């Protein structure tokens, strides 16, 4: 039988075959069935010349230049001051959305740039009048590196949407949907677009069927769209095609693809994904693209132009954006990492680029950079023993740190960080596969694992934070900043208070000894 033919057997009440219907799958064709005794043949009827053609299916592009692009190539150091001048030009391009908040930008704004992340959101929202704003939220972790109380999650989502976020992408490092439930529920209550993301990884337990089931469960939770989040650049074109087709077959929601160029496959995987039915891809404006970032926006626009998947974007409108970002590469040249070439270690050890560079830094500080290959080989072992977690924040740091400690100490699990202990207790959620029982016994002893949703074990924390922060809070959002990053906020918020109120609160360095004027 030709691969374009579909056979359907017709049976009587006793189950005996009485006819076979053969249908040839061809687009936009009307058929007339002529029923014979044992066979149904198909006669094609050509489409009338005056019948209206179906509209082209356009692919949307989410621009990451304000968030993940600079997080990937320059440690999240792009300032709001350098985003504002180009924001209105970005708004004119016609992107599906602009990712401009969340992830590590929240922490970095306060810690390294002395900026209020909430003010960045409001400033960009003012200028992105035509384009949807999008953010990345780590489920119960929000934009931090641990779980927070349910009330904190709800309040954060409320304030994020209230200050201007249109689309909230939620993921969990373990793909534990329980850790996404409170944030997802609140996004729906606030009337924003709920995008739930699958953390893509490769392991014996991360099968096509598992990912499809997760997508269906996300749809049942109220997701408005689904994202495949490939943080390490592991998604191959072949797997992208299979995964998109499998999800699209079972879930009738827009599907968005996010990948990194570290392994060199992302652009090919994007093309395979959109041809298989994906609706949106995440790209970065060319000066901030590729390397550990995303495929270039202009390249994707040009590659799809003129076909049924044309993005509808104009390269002329992208030109001023690219030229502006090119100037930023000069300004931030001391921070921008080399973005040329492909890191084959990503494919060998299945780790994200950021985790790769962090491990190098840890070993260099310990004077044991010569042990780097040993640590790389230890990472897959630790990951297996921890139940194959996807290597994304914060599990990438947890697995990487333990692997480094195992090699540096010369004895596996001789030293166990608090985060690893909490992971084995179950405080990060349900692992994709069971953890190694011997390692668990070595770490926990007789301590039992928790089986409930981890957020249920966390007491309310906002009231205490309001009391601790006191007068330094100049807006309700400051309390959230303090809860998420208390040590950073203790330094940042008094300075912000002084700046906004134009008062001297004694933060300047004292050069001369105390004295009264005479």
């Amino acid at each position: 039988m030709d691969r374009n033919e579909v056979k359907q057997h017709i049976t009587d009440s006793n189950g005996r075959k009485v006819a076979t219907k053969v249908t040839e799958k061809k687009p936009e064709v009307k058929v007339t069935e002529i029923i014979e005794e044992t066979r149904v043949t198909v006669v094609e009827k050509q489409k009338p010349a005056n019948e209206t053609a179906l509209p082209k299916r356009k692919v949307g592009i989410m621009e990451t230049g304000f968030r993940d692009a600079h997080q990937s190539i320059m440690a999240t150091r792009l300032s709001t001051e350098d985003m504002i001048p180009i924001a209105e030009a970005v708004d004119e391009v016609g992107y599906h959305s602009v990712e401009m908040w969340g992830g590590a930008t929240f922490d970095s704004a306060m810690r390294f740039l002395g900026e209020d992340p909430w003010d960045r959101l409001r400033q960009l929202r003012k200028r992105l009048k035509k384009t949807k704003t999008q953010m990345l939220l780590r489920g119960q972790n929000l934009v931090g590196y641990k779980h927070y109380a349910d009330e904190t999650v709800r309040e954060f989502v409320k304030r994020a949407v209230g200050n201007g976020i249109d689309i909230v992408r939620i993921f969990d490092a373990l793909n534990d949907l329980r850790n996404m439930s409170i944030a997802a529920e609140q996004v729906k209550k606030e009337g924003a677009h709920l995008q739930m993301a699958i953390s893509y990884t490769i392991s014996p337990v991360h099968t096509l069927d598992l990912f499809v089931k997760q997508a269906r469960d996300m749809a049942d939770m109220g997701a408005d769209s689904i994202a495949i989040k490939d943080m390490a650049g592991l998604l191959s074109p072949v797997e992208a095609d299979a995964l998109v087709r499998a999800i699209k077959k079972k879930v009738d929601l827009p599907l968005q693809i996010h990948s990194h160029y570290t392994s060199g496959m992302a652009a090919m995987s994007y093309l395979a994904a959109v041809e298989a039915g994906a609706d949106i891809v995440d790209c970065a404006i060319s000066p901030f693209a590729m390397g550990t970032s995303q495929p270039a926006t202009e390249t994707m626009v040009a590659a799809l132009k003129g076909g049924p998947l044309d993005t509808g974007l104009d390269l002329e409108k992208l030109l001023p954006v690219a030229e502006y970002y090119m100037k930023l590469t000069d300004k931030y040249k001391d921070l921008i990492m080399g973005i040329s070439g492909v890191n084959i270690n990503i494919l060998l050890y299945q780790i994200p680029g950021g985790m790769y560079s962090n491990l190098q830094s840890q070993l260099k500080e310990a004077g044991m950079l010569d042990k780097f290959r040993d640590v790389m080989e230890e990472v897959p072992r630790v990951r297996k023993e921890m139940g194959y977690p996807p290597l994304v924040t914060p599990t990438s740091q947890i697995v990487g740190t333990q692997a480094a400690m195992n090699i540096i100490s010369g004895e596996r699990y001789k030293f166990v960080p608090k985060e690893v202990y909490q992971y084995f207790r179950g405080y990060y959620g349900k692992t994709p596969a069971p953890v190694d029982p011997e390692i668990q016994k070595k770490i926990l002893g007789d301590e039992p694992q928790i089986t409930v949703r981890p957020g249920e074990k966390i007491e309310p924390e906002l009231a205490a934070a309001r009391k601790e922060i006191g007068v330094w809070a100049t807006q309700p959002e400051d309390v959230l900043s303090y809860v998420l990053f208390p040590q950073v906020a203790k330094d940042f918020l008094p300075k912000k208070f002084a700046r906004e109120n134009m008062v001297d609160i004694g933060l300047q360095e004292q050069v001369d000894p105390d004295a009264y004027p005479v």
Side-chain angles (χ1 to χ4, degrees), residues 177-325:
L177 297 184
R178 300 176 306 168
N179 292 335
M180 305 164 72
S181 61
I182 300 299
E185 180 183 313
Q186 195 64 35
V187 169
K188 299 296 286 187
K189 284 184 178 179
E190 299 303 323
H193 179 109
L194 171 62
Q195 182 175 95
M196 301 187 75
I198 299 168
S199 295
Y200 178 81
T201 189
I202 298 172
S203 84
V205 298
H206 288 92
T207 63
L208 198 63
D209 288 342
L210 176 64
F211 288 135
V212 171
K213 182 182 185 305
Q214 288 173 343
R216 292 180 65 178
D217 289 343
M218 288 173 173
D220 291 341
M221 290 173 68
D224 297 301
S225 62
I226 304 293
I228 299 170
K229 179 177 169 59
D230 172 31
M231 50 280 169
L234 297 174
L235 184 65
S236 72
V238 173
E239 288 299 317
D241 177 273
L243 185 54
V244 169
R245 291 184 190 279
I247 291 177
K248 278 290 190 177
K249 187 176 180 180
K250 298 293 184 180
V251 181
D252 186 22
L253 289 176
L255 185 60
Q256 189 160 344
I257 311 296
H258 174 93
S259 188
H260 290 253
Y261 214 89
T262 327
S263 69
M265 295 193 295
M268 293 184 287
S269 297
Y270 277 15
L271 181 58
V274 297
E275 288 181 339
D279 303 281
I280 309 147
V281 290
D282 295 3
C283 299
I285 198 70
S286 56
F288 276 32
M290 298 186 288
T292 52
S293 183
Q294 285 76 46
T297 302
E298 302 95 312
T299 301
M300 192 57 58
V301 169
L304 298 176
K305 189 173 181 61
L309 304 176
D310 194 319
T311 64
L313 301 188
D314 187 349
L315 288 173
E316 290 293 329
K317 290 184 177 180
L318 288 166
L319 182 60
V321 181
E323 290 177 339
Y324 180 82
Y325 270 85

Side-chain angles (χ1 to χ4, degrees), residues 6 17 64 128 134 179 248 261 270 296 347 382 451 457 511:
V6 176
K17 185 172 68 174
T64 67
L128 297 172
Q134 186 159 340
N179 292 335
K248 278 290 190 177
Y261 214 89
Y270 277 15
L347 295 175
V382 172
T451 56
K457 307 288 286 186
V511 178

Side-chain angles (χ1 to χ4, degrees), residues 81-250:
E81 180 184 39
D82 286 327
M83 297 179 189
I84 288 175
I86 198 61
E88 291 179 0
V90 168
D91 195 32
E92 294 296 326
V93 171
Y95 290 112
H96 167 267
S97 61
V98 172
E99 188 190 43
M100 38 70 77
W101 210 60
T105 61
F106 195 99
D107 176 18
S108 295
M110 291 193 296
R111 188 187 301 270
F112 302 112
L113 303 176
E115 294 182 7
D116 180 1
W118 298 98
D119 184 59
R120 173 182 295 184
L121 170 55
R122 290 187 285 262
Q123 290 293 329
L124 290 175
R125 172 77 275 182
K126 286 180 184 178
R127 292 161 176 84
L128 297 172
K129 299 177 181 179
K130 303 176 183 179
T131 311
K132 292 181 179 179
T133 57
Q134 186 159 340
M135 74 163 295
L136 181 69
L137 192 79
R138 302 182 185 120
Q140 199 81 17
N141 290 35
L142 296 174
V143 291
Y145 307 101
K146 66 174 187 177
H147 285 333
Y148 299 96
D150 290 351
E151 64 160 4
T152 302
V153 174
R154 294 186 184 282
E155 181 69 8
F156 186 91
V157 171
K158 176 183 176 181
R159 295 290 174 182
V161 175
N163 278 283
I165 290 295
D166 296 313
I167 303 172
V168 183
R169 174 182 291 175
I170 302 175
F171 79 96
D172 177 67
L174 295 176
N175 284 325
D176 187 342
L177 297 184
R178 300 176 306 168
N179 292 335
M180 305 164 72
S181 61
I182 300 299
E185 180 183 313
Q186 195 64 35
V187 169
K188 299 296 286 187
K189 284 184 178 179
E190 299 303 323
H193 179 109
L194 171 62
Q195 182 175 95
M196 301 187 75
I198 299 168
S199 295
Y200 178 81
T201 189
I202 298 172
S203 84
V205 298
H206 288 92
T207 63
L208 198 63
D209 288 342
L210 176 64
F211 288 135
V212 171
K213 182 182 185 305
Q214 288 173 343
R216 292 180 65 178
D217 289 343
M218 288 173 173
D220 291 341
M221 290 173 68
D224 297 301
S225 62
I226 304 293
I228 299 170
K229 179 177 169 59
D230 172 31
M231 50 280 169
L234 297 174
L235 184 65
S236 72
V238 173
E239 288 299 317
D241 177 273
L243 185 54
V244 169
R245 291 184 190 279
I247 291 177
K248 278 290 190 177
K249 187 176 180 180
K250 298 293 184 180

Side-chain angles (χ1 to χ4, degrees), residues 291-495:
T292 52
S293 183
Q294 285 76 46
T297 302
E298 302 95 312
T299 301
M300 192 57 58
V301 169
L304 298 176
K305 189 173 181 61
L309 304 176
D310 194 319
T311 64
L313 301 188
D314 187 349
L315 288 173
E316 290 293 329
K317 290 184 177 180
L318 288 166
L319 182 60
V321 181
E323 290 177 339
Y324 180 82
Y325 270 85
M326 185 59 71
K327 294 177 182 177
L328 292 181
T329 61
D330 291 333
K331 178 176 180 178
Y332 290 97
K333 61 184 178 182
D334 293 335
L335 282 173
I336 292 178
M337 297 179 290
I339 58 174
S340 61
V342 170
N343 191 337
I344 191 63
N345 288 294
I346 303 304
L347 295 175
L348 290 174
Y349 303 113
Q350 301 176 8
I351 65 171
M355 179 181 175
Y356 185 88
S357 57
N358 286 341
L359 288 173
Q360 281 185 318
S361 298
Q362 289 180 31
L363 291 172
K364 186 175 182 180
E365 290 176 5
M368 301 185 72
L369 193 55
D370 60 312
K371 298 290 186 181
F372 183 67
R373 177 58 62 89
D374 295 333
V375 173
M376 288 292 96
E377 293 173 352
E378 177 70 359
V379 166
R381 288 192 288 267
V382 172
R383 182 176 177 237
K384 179 181 179 181
E385 291 160 350
M386 295 179 74
Y388 293 109
L391 296 178
V392 62
T393 302
T395 52
S396 57
Q397 290 91 332
I398 293 172
V399 172
T401 300
Q402 187 62 62
M405 284 187 169
N406 287 354
I407 298 302
I408 292 173
S409 68
E411 179 183 335
R412 305 189 76 240
Y413 298 98
K414 179 179 180 180
F415 299 106
V416 177
K418 177 184 176 182
E419 291 78 10
V420 174
Y421 171 81
Q422 293 287 76
Y423 178 93
F424 276 89
R425 283 288 316 274
Y427 280 95
Y428 283 88
K430 184 180 179 181
T431 56
V435 299
D436 186 294
E438 293 184 7
I439 302 300
Q440 179 184 355
K441 180 69 174 177
K442 184 173 183 177
I443 293 175
L444 299 184
D446 295 327
E447 285 280 338
Q449 286 183 309
I450 67 166
T451 56
V452 299
R453 180 177 64 85
E456 296 177 18
K457 307 288 286 186
I458 304 174
E459 296 294 327
E461 49 202 353
L462 291 179
R466 290 189 186 98
K467 185 176 180 180
E468 291 171 12
I469 195 174
V471 298
W472 304 130
T474 61
Q475 59 181 356
E477 291 84 356
D478 287 341
V479 178
L480 289 165
S481 299
Y482 179 76
V483 170
L484 295 173
F485 300 102
Q487 296 305 315
V488 177
K490 282 178 181 177
D491 179 60
F492 171 75
L493 291 176
K495 292 179 181 178

